[in-house]
Amino acid sequence: VLDASGKLVAPGFIDMHVHLREPGFEHKETIATGTRSAARGGFTTIACMPNTRPVIDTVDTVNYIKDKAETEGVVRVIPYGCITKNELGRELTDFAALKEAGVVGYTDDGVGVQSAQMMKDAMALAASLGMPIIAHCEDNTLVEGAAVTEGAFAKKHGLKGIPNESEAIHVGRDVLLAEATGVHYHVCHVSTEQSVRLIRHAKQFGIKVTAEVCPHHLVLSDEDIPGMDANWKMNPPLRTPRDVQAVIEGLEDGTIDMIVTDHAPHSEEEKEKGMQLAPFGILGFETAFPLLYSKFVVTGKWTLGFLVDRMTAKPADVFGLPYGTLHAGSAADITIVDLETEQEVLKEEIVSKSKNTPFIGWKLQGWPVTTIASGNIVWS
Ligand code: DOR
Ligand code: ZN
Ligand code: ZN
Ligand code: ZN
């Protein structure tokens, strides 16, 4: 018998943007360790990105991940298919076969489809199959050689900055291509004021666009970066305070539909290469809810219902997924959260195989204490 008295009982959290690293980068994370990290964070369904090796571009790789998730994972894992073969931007993958194999959409996260024609073809094909395109937005020519956003931190350290336009140019392009093709276009990890504006405008015109935002883009700006520490390096980068305000408002007014973590584990060795050379990305699962609960609910800015909705019902609606116990016949996906106890983020308690997070030492409340996925207790 589970005693949840005094606790929040919520539908299991859903995270539509995660990197599990398997196959190919098992030194960073595996499906076994990544799904346990998700369970600790209260997540019961996660959608994994295809920048693995091999890339998720064939039915075989989709099946490999599904099999692994069933035998070694503890939460539901839904793969995305890659838009182009081997992420090279040259040739579309077999969208119909990948759909048949069970992908939830097609994406280019981590690289970005640079050719507008290629993206238009991808969107037209996805639309014909009734499937979404999930696009990571960036013009690579504007990003090259930069590790942090254009802003106060870059200026102070004499670094080349990643400009906001690198993201917004693609959002604008892809909104127009979505309008032309009728596809459902889902915008990855919105981080700039300009992107929010473009998505808001697109929605007003009835273009089928949805969007996501990460906890770190809601709680941190580039002015919070303490120094040249690569645990503060991710893509999109931490933006200016003005951008942070804009993405918060975008989430609040419904322009941005859901919260995702972009859980992106990298080994300590890789992160020790420093701000300029280390790979982009930070952990997401284990601090997502406590961070947002502490920053926005404890302070009275959001209701608890708003936060839970953006991590459960909203992603489920947008991607047509079951959640919680609301669907008759489905086994329970439930997260029980202790909303009272304040606890420090401790490195030695991190369940992920990697430890790359800027939040070590933060005192937070709203910690998931029990996670039930498909009827099984997977975290307690
Ligand atoms: O920070 C990031 N990490 N951004 C991406 O687009 C890719 C991801 C990764 O795979 O590490
Ligand atoms: Zn991305
Ligand atoms: Zn794009
Ligand atoms: Zn990502």
Side-chain angles (χ1 to χ4, degrees):
V1 182
L2 261 173
D3 182 8
S5 53
K7 309 276 197 301
L8 167 73
V9 178
F13 302 152
I14 298 174
D15 188 346
M16 294 307 295
H17 187 144
V18 321
H19 298 268
L20 292 180
R21 306 303 190 203
E22 188 173 4
F25 302 102
E26 288 86 351
H27 65 286
K28 300 175 197 268
E29 194 80 286
T30 63
I31 288 167
T33 61
T35 57
R36 279 170 181 77
S37 177
R40 184 189 178 209
F43 294 92
T44 55
T45 295
I46 59 180
C48 63
M49 285 292 169
N51 61 340
T52 49
R53 289 296 175 272
V55 168
I56 310 179
D57 59 2
T58 64
V59 170
D60 279 353
T61 306
V62 172
N63 286 335
Y64 176 86
I65 289 164
K66 284 178 24 182
D67 289 347
K68 275 260 168 173
E70 243 161 68
T71 53
E72 295 171 21
V74 297
V75 304
R76 184 180 298 109
V77 175
I78 320 173
Y80 286 113
C82 201
I83 293 175
T84 64
K85 290 182 182 171
N86 206 22
E87 293 188 309
L88 290 173
R90 294 202 198 107
E91 202 184 335
L92 294 183
T93 56
D94 187 340
F95 280 20
L98 290 170
K99 177 185 178 184
E100 192 69 26
V103 303
V104 68
Y106 314 98
T107 183
D108 62 334
D109 186 52
V111 273
V113 171
Q114 298 294 308
S115 151
Q117 184 65 59
M118 182 68 64
M119 185 55 100
K120 190 173 184 185
D121 292 344
M123 285 185 169
L125 184 52
S128 75
L129 295 164
M131 295 284 279
I133 288 284
I134 292 84
H136 169 113
C137 306
E138 209 160 59
D139 182 299
N140 286 348
T141 63
L142 288 168
V143 173
E144 239 182 287
V148 297
T149 200
E150 224 172 57
F153 184 88
K155 209 168 185 180
K156 182 175 162 198
H157 293 266
L159 300 169
K160 182 192 163 182
I162 300 177
N164 283 12
E165 314 84 77
S166 68
E167 174 177 307
I169 281 171
H170 266 228
V171 176
R173 181 198 78 175
D174 293 345
V175 155
L176 293 170
L177 295 175
E179 181 179 22
T181 58
V183 79
H184 167 200
Y185 160 46
H186 179 74
V187 190
C188 283
H189 41 48
V190 173
S191 71
T192 72
E193 191 258 328
Q194 292 88 337
S195 300
V196 173
R197 207 163 68 209
L198 288 164
I199 295 162
R200 188 176 286 130
H201 189 254
K203 284 190 167 186
Q204 281 164 2
F205 278 81
I207 299 169
K208 238 185 282 170
V209 52
T210 56
E212 59 184 41
V213 64
C214 303
H216 46 274
H217 293 128
L218 293 163
V219 307
L220 295 175
S221 80
D222 69 323
E223 298 187 3
D224 297 311
I225 306 174
M228 296 290 276
D229 174 356
N231 284 326
W232 297 72
K233 177 180 181 180
M234 73 293 285
N235 196 9
L238 298 175
R239 302 287 188 180
T240 68
R242 182 188 165 126
D243 294 303
V244 174
Q245 194 48 41
V247 294
I248 292 171
E249 280 167 20
L251 184 66
E252 289 173 347
D253 76 6
T255 300
I256 298 173
D257 299 85
M258 69 190 74
I259 294 158
V260 302
T261 70
D262 200 8
H263 179 79
H266 293 292
S267 71
E268 289 190 79
E269 272 167 18
E270 291 163 315
K271 281 300 196 181
E272 277 162 10
K273 289 179 183 160
M275 193 62 116
Q276 196 61 43
L277 295 176
F280 290 94
I282 61 168
L283 301 183
F285 292 136
E286 298 175 51
T287 51
F289 189 86
L291 271 176
L292 297 172
Y293 182 76
S294 301
K295 166 93 192 223
F296 294 104
V297 181
V298 172
T299 56
K301 200 161 164 26
W302 297 349
T303 64
L304 177 58
F306 176 83
L307 173 57
V308 171
D309 182 73
R310 278 8 179 217
M311 295 177 72
T312 59
K314 261 293 193 172
D317 282 352
V318 166
F319 289 99
L321 305 170
Y323 74 98
T325 51
L326 300 178
H327 294 250
S330 70
D333 287 336
I334 289 175
T335 294
I336 302 174
V337 185
D338 173 358
L339 298 175
E340 305 295 329
T341 314
E342 195 181 66
Q343 221 178 287
E344 193 176 324
V345 180
L346 296 172
K347 187 175 176 185
E348 54 276 21
E349 287 183 355
I350 294 173
V351 171
S352 168
K353 198 173 214 180
S354 292
K355 312 295 166 197
N356 53 310
T357 169
F359 299 116
I360 287 166
W362 284 43
K363 290 194 180 66
L364 303 172
Q365 65 190 91
W367 290 91
V369 286
T370 306
T371 305
I372 302 169
S374 300
N376 301 311
I377 296 180
V378 294
W379 173 261
S380 188

